[in-house]
Amino acid sequence: MVEVPIEEYLCARIRRAEQALMAHHEAVLRTYGLTMTQYTVLLALSRTDGQSGAQLARACGVSQQSMATVLNGMQAKELIDRKPSPAHAKVMIATLTDSGRDLLDRAYQEVIVLERALTDRFSADEHRRFCEFLDRATATLIEQTPATPAR
C-alpha cells in the first residue's frame, strides 16, 4: 500500500474546510447571541414556517432532545413561538416571531458576505464545477456511511 501524506487526503481537506466554515459562522453569529443551531432553526423556519421539533432536529442534524433544549431557549428569547399542533396535541409547532425574523435578517447579511467572497474566488465555470465536485463528494460520503441498525 502506498502511503499518501495526510495533508493530501480529501477527507482531511473537507474537514479543514468545514472547520473553517463553522469557525467563521460561529464568530459572526456570536455577535448576535446565536449558536449555529439556533441560526439554522431560524433559517429553516424562514423557509417553511410552522415546523415540529422533530423536523427542525433533522434539518439541523441534532437529536430531538437537543432540539427541545434549543427551542426552549429560543422561545424564552422570544425568537420563536410554539403552539400545540392541531393534528397532534403533544406535538409543538414552532413559528418565527417578528423579533426572530429581524435577528435572522441582520445575521444573514453578515453570513452571506462569506458566500459572496467564496463565489468571487472562482470563475463562473470553476464555481459550477466546484459545486458539482462537492455534490459528488457529499453523495459518496452519504453512500459510504454505514446504516444505523434499528433498535
Side-chain angles (χ1 to χ4, degrees):
M1 179 171 116
V2 176
E3 283 296 315
V4 177
I6 193 160
E7 60 273 6
E8 293 181 23
Y9 288 0
L10 285 177
C11 290
R13 288 171 187 252
I14 291 169
R15 179 70 176 150
R16 281 196 311 273
E18 191 255 349
Q19 288 172 326
L21 175 65
M22 294 304 289
H24 171 273
H25 282 11
E26 287 169 0
V28 167
L29 296 174
R30 196 175 305 119
T31 66
Y32 293 93
L34 291 171
T35 65
M36 190 65 197
T37 302
Q38 291 170 329
Y39 176 77
T40 306
V41 167
L42 293 176
L43 204 55
L45 290 174
S46 75
R47 292 180 176 148
T48 307
D49 208 17
Q51 295 188 57
S52 69
Q55 290 171 307
L56 292 167
R58 282 190 296 279
C60 295
V62 300
S63 70
Q64 287 186 36
Q65 275 183 315
S66 294
M67 184 52 64
T69 302
V70 168
L71 294 176
N72 285 336
M74 293 178 75
Q75 189 172 16
K77 290 181 181 181
E78 298 181 353
L79 300 175
I80 63 165
D81 189 29
R82 291 192 297 170
K83 292 188 172 30
S85 164
H88 304 284
K90 290 185 179 185
V91 175
M92 299 295 283
I93 301 297
T95 56
L96 271 179
T97 62
D98 289 341
S99 60
R101 189 173 306 283
D102 177 60
L103 184 61
L104 172 62
D105 289 344
R106 289 184 289 127
Y108 181 81
Q109 293 308 309
E110 284 194 58
V111 169
I112 197 66
V113 169
L114 177 63
E115 182 72 30
R116 290 183 184 123
L118 284 168
T119 300
D120 290 346
R121 285 284 176 120
F122 303 99
S123 69
D125 186 54
E126 287 173 331
H127 182 267
R128 180 191 54 75
R129 287 188 1 239
F130 186 56
C131 288
E132 288 173 4
F133 295 154
L134 286 173
D135 290 345
R136 285 185 5 214
T138 301
T140 301
L141 291 166
I142 291 168
E143 289 165 8
Q144 293 298 313
T145 302
T148 338
R151 293 182 188 204

